[in-house]
Amino acid sequence: MTDPLIVARNLRKEYGDLVAVDDVSFEVAPGGSLGIVGESGSGKTTVAKMLVGLERPTAGRIEIAGTDCSAPAKGWRERSRRAQSLQIVFQDPYSSLDPRQSVGDALREVLVVAGLGRDRTQARARELVDLVGMPERVLGSRPSALSGGQRQRVAIARALATEPRCVILDESVAALDVSIQAQILNLLADIRERTGVAYILVSHDLAVVRHVTDDVIVMRYGAIVERGQTGTVLDDPQHPYTQLLRESVPRPGWVPGAGATT
Amino acid sequence: MEDLTLDVPVDSGHGRILHGVDLTVEAGSAIGIVGESGSGKSMTVRTVAALLPPGASTSGRVSFDGDQVADMSSDRLRRYRSSQVAMIFQDPRAAINPVRKVGNFLVENAVTNLGWSRARAREKAIDVLREVGIADPERRLNAFPSELSGGLLQRVMIASTLLYEPELLLADEPTTALDVTTQSAVMALIDRLRRERGMAMVFVTHDLELAAAVCDTIHVMYAGRIVEKIPASELHERSRHPYTRALLDARPRLDGRESRLRAIPGQPLSGLEDVTGCAFAARCPFAVDICRTDEPPVVAVETGEIRCHRAHDRLWGDS
């Protein structure tokens, strides 16, 4: 059996009296895919932020590719090494790109930080926009000249720049129009086939989670309430909260309000 | 609404964002307007409420119960917007003054718009808060908006519309910013209140499945035009416009997994863009020469209407 790429053990995050994440453990295999499902306040985004070192766990351990990453990286050398293992793409492509920076500059910046020689960054930036299905000329565009879907492609290209072994997708397709969301989901599947990258998908959208992931954890109030293979959990949810989530998804013949409270 | 066009100021002068929209809402019925960004769905309902951006101009007619909205005096318009139509928005926090307490918001509006005494308005406010499922309404009257969750605040907005007993509720993505379980509860509330009161609704959403669940008729919009009208119950089996079908097919499934989705190529078009022919032609797998040259007519079909040159062709084996 191959060693897991990412191991989270008994993660806990407190903000004062609030326990945002409570005893969360999971593993992601190389090339694997894990869905983290939950609503506002479930702690799912806090888990993602601890994985990429934007938040320090109050307790617990994070190992990425065999290295202890429980505390945020110290120094640029360690930060760039971690960036080659794990990247994150956020929900809002409007706020995650610097409006003053061209697409090409945004990509080259990441490549330089990752230690690529300046002579090679131009070629690699071209490869990256091609990988996310965009024409080369967008390298000269600023984010304001791009649509939401195009900006999210750029954010994905930037996350892939360092050839990470895993990308966290934090509601990365939630704000997109249905037709564009389908394009981006297909792009993510193509990229996985070509690069063998693993995904951690943080999402409230069960259909998207089903489409992208093999395994899933369902979180509520900071704790995992159910886990298993995504298909099994969604077809036959065991925990009442997972059942409620499943029942809340509009579909043919659906009646709103089954078992729900505000 | 008959043959409505809406022009708004843009950098280069005026841009048309609605192109000949026809919409009929029967008393007590619920119609859904579904579309992607730029389709004009929000502007369509704002036009009904006469809530348009500065400098906007319209042609065509919007009438409510026989009265032309464009001819209403400002007094008449205030009465129209309170006792006849009410509107709720995606972001309740943007529609409520953050430094006014919930009670102040509900009571002052009723005193100003309905001429009620403060005591009567307060009593009614408590009634409507209770009716939208808010426990301990007396205490909630003293809460600031920031102290309430998004779901509770949207309930407050719904409660505020009930004070006026409007005949038509205009709901613009009222649950889009809410969690799925909260969306389900808030939709159930809107649906119940609407049926109990015989209130009509125009429900704007990007979510076809949600619209189909709570509306009688679905109107699909693309690039500032209604491209299909169909009874909600027929949507899945018998919709015929290539865009409606493409939208239904593009969503991932909850009950299974495909290796790739049937994505629609290209970008959604806004009404502002100049098009020759059919606005959807560039993304449509069935487009033929005429689609790229002539604007398609509205064609009556068994299920309703579609705006498509290929309305009578059997594009799918089953329809």
Side-chain angles (χ1 to χ4, degrees):
Chain A
M1 204 179 146
T2 53
D3 288 336
L5 176 63
I6 293 173
V7 181
R9 283 271 169 272
N10 313 108
L11 282 183
R12 182 176 178 87
K13 179 67 189 178
E14 297 170 9
Y15 298 100
D17 291 339
L18 176 79
V19 181
V21 174
D22 183 12
D23 197 21
V24 166
S25 301
F26 56 82
E27 293 182 357
V28 180
S33 52
L34 175 75
I36 305 181
V37 167
E39 299 185 289
S40 338
S42 64
K44 61 188 194 299
T45 289
T46 307
V47 169
K49 286 182 170 171
M50 288 192 285
L51 289 175
V52 293
L54 290 171
E55 293 280 359
R56 180 192 294 268
T58 309
R61 186 178 167 84
I62 296 166
E63 268 175 43
I64 300 172
T67 309
D68 182 4
C69 295
S70 308
K74 288 195 198 75
W76 71 270
R77 202 176 294 274
E78 195 189 341
R79 216 166 14 246
S80 91
R81 192 164 45 77
R82 281 199 205 172
Q84 287 172 44
S85 302
L86 186 64
Q87 284 284 332
I88 187 163
V89 177
F90 292 105
Q91 168 170 353
D92 183 3
Y94 296 83
S95 65
S96 62
L97 296 170
D98 183 340
R100 295 163 304 180
Q101 210 176 28
S102 74
V103 171
D105 288 343
L107 294 176
R108 282 189 289 271
E109 180 182 76
V110 181
L111 293 167
V112 169
V113 172
L116 200 70
R118 282 192 188 273
D119 50 323
R120 289 179 49 217
T121 56
Q122 188 62 25
R124 177 68 181 144
R126 277 200 296 271
E127 279 171 29
L128 286 166
V129 291
D130 180 60
L131 182 65
V132 296
M134 299 181 86
E136 210 180 296
R137 64 171 188 278
V138 302
L139 287 171
S141 304
R142 286 180 205 283
S144 57
L146 305 175
S147 70
Q150 289 172 324
R151 283 181 238 211
Q152 202 57 298
R153 284 177 194 263
V154 173
I156 291 167
R158 194 174 54 174
L160 293 168
T162 59
E163 297 183 50
R165 301 184 64 193
C166 180
V167 174
I168 299 178
L169 304 162
D170 186 0
E171 298 280 13
S172 309
V173 298
L176 302 174
D177 275 319
V178 172
S179 68
I180 304 302
Q181 184 184 71
Q183 291 175 7
I184 299 290
L185 288 171
N186 284 348
L187 171 68
L188 292 170
D190 292 344
I191 290 168
R192 174 155 54 185
E193 266 176 23
R194 284 167 65 177
T195 65
V197 69
Y199 290 136
I200 295 176
L201 174 72
V202 177
S203 179
H204 70 281
D205 186 329
L206 297 185
V208 170
V209 169
R210 174 121 204 200
H211 182 73
V212 175
T213 66
D214 298 324
D215 297 292
V216 69
I217 57 179
V218 181
M219 291 184 66
R220 189 183 202 194
Y221 304 140
I224 295 175
V225 298
E226 186 160 358
R227 68 165 77 226
Q229 290 185 347
T230 307
T232 312
V233 168
L234 295 187
D235 284 342
D236 188 18
Q238 299 300 305
H239 192 279
Y241 178 64
T242 318
Q243 292 166 1
L244 173 62
L245 277 181
R246 180 81 170 69
E247 278 309 304
S248 300
V249 180
R251 57 194 179 278
W254 179 74
V255 176
T261 52
T262 298
Chain B
M1 181 178 288
E2 286 170 73
D3 197 22
L4 187 94
T5 65
L6 171 64
D7 291 358
V8 294
V10 293
D11 291 344
S12 55
H14 268 69
R16 179 151 297 179
I17 52 178
L18 296 178
H19 301 255
V21 174
D22 293 312
L23 197 66
T24 305
V25 185
E26 310 272 346
S29 72
I31 72 153
I33 303 183
V34 180
E36 297 183 281
S37 316
S39 62
K41 56 191 191 299
S42 287
M43 279 302 164
T44 301
V45 286
R46 282 171 177 272
T47 307
V48 176
L51 287 173
L52 290 171
S57 61
T58 59
S59 72
R61 291 151 46 96
V62 182
S63 60
F64 187 94
D65 208 5
D67 292 348
Q68 296 296 315
V69 174
D71 297 342
M72 288 181 183
S73 65
S74 58
D75 260 12
R76 175 73 186 86
L77 207 52
R78 192 174 314 124
R79 209 147 30 86
Y80 169 63
R81 288 209 201 99
S82 50
S83 59
Q84 293 185 300
V85 302
M87 188 150 179
I88 50 176
F89 299 91
Q90 172 171 344
D91 182 4
R93 281 185 214 286
I96 189 166
N97 186 336
V99 299
R100 282 170 67 188
K101 290 180 178 176
V102 165
N104 181 282
F105 166 74
L106 291 172
V107 172
E108 289 305 318
N109 285 2
V111 169
T112 313
N113 294 323
L114 298 171
W116 291 353
S117 73
R118 206 159 293 270
R120 171 156 185 235
R122 189 184 148 82
E123 200 176 301
K124 272 289 276 186
I126 290 169
D127 285 349
V128 292
L129 286 178
R130 192 170 284 127
E131 193 167 357
V132 299
I134 292 181
D136 200 359
E138 289 88 347
R139 190 169 61 85
R140 295 297 188 186
L141 286 179
N142 286 317
F144 284 102
S146 59
E147 296 170 311
L148 303 182
S149 69
L152 271 179
L153 204 56
Q154 197 58 290
R155 284 174 189 263
V156 170
M157 301 313 290
I158 295 166
S160 78
T161 70
L162 295 180
L163 284 175
Y164 307 99
E165 314 240 342
E167 292 162 69
L168 172 63
L169 178 67
L170 304 170
D172 186 2
E173 304 258 15
T175 59
T176 303
L178 305 178
D179 277 325
V180 279
T181 56
T182 313
Q183 164 171 284
S184 172
V186 169
M187 263 344 288
L189 170 69
I190 292 174
D191 200 47
R192 173 174 66 79
L193 294 171
R194 193 183 77 66
R195 287 172 199 280
E196 281 173 7
R197 290 159 184 257
M199 185 164 61
M201 173 169 74
V202 178
F203 180 61
V204 171
T205 178
H206 65 283
D207 187 335
L208 262 177
E209 300 292 350
L210 181 61
V214 298
C215 295
D216 306 315
T217 317
I218 302 295
H219 296 57
V220 180
M221 286 192 77
Y222 191 78
R225 298 153 178 94
I226 292 176
V227 297
E228 180 155 17
K229 292 183 188 182
I230 185 168
S233 57
E234 308 261 32
L235 177 73
H236 290 93
E237 300 299 323
R238 300 185 70 200
S239 55
R240 301 176 56 142
H241 196 285
Y243 178 61
T244 311
R245 285 288 184 114
L247 271 186
L248 285 167
D249 285 347
R251 270 289 292 168
R253 295 152 49 110
L254 188 54
D255 59 355
R257 188 174 180 183
E258 304 132 305
S259 79
R260 293 295 185 279
L261 298 169
R262 278 166 285 182
I264 310 173
Q267 303 283 335
L269 215 58
S270 100
L272 278 173
E273 260 138 314
D274 266 333
V275 282
T276 310
C278 170
F280 188 59
R283 309 176 77 192
C284 180
F286 304 108
V288 292
D289 288 347
I290 191 174
C291 304
R292 287 179 272 268
T293 53
D294 293 18
E295 170 116 33
V298 175
V299 180
V301 293
E302 218 180 305
T303 49
E305 288 173 1
I306 67 174
R307 200 186 265 264
C308 180
H309 285 297
R310 307 206 60 189
H312 295 301
D313 294 344
R314 293 168 66 90
L315 303 177
W316 294 274
D318 57 351
S319 56

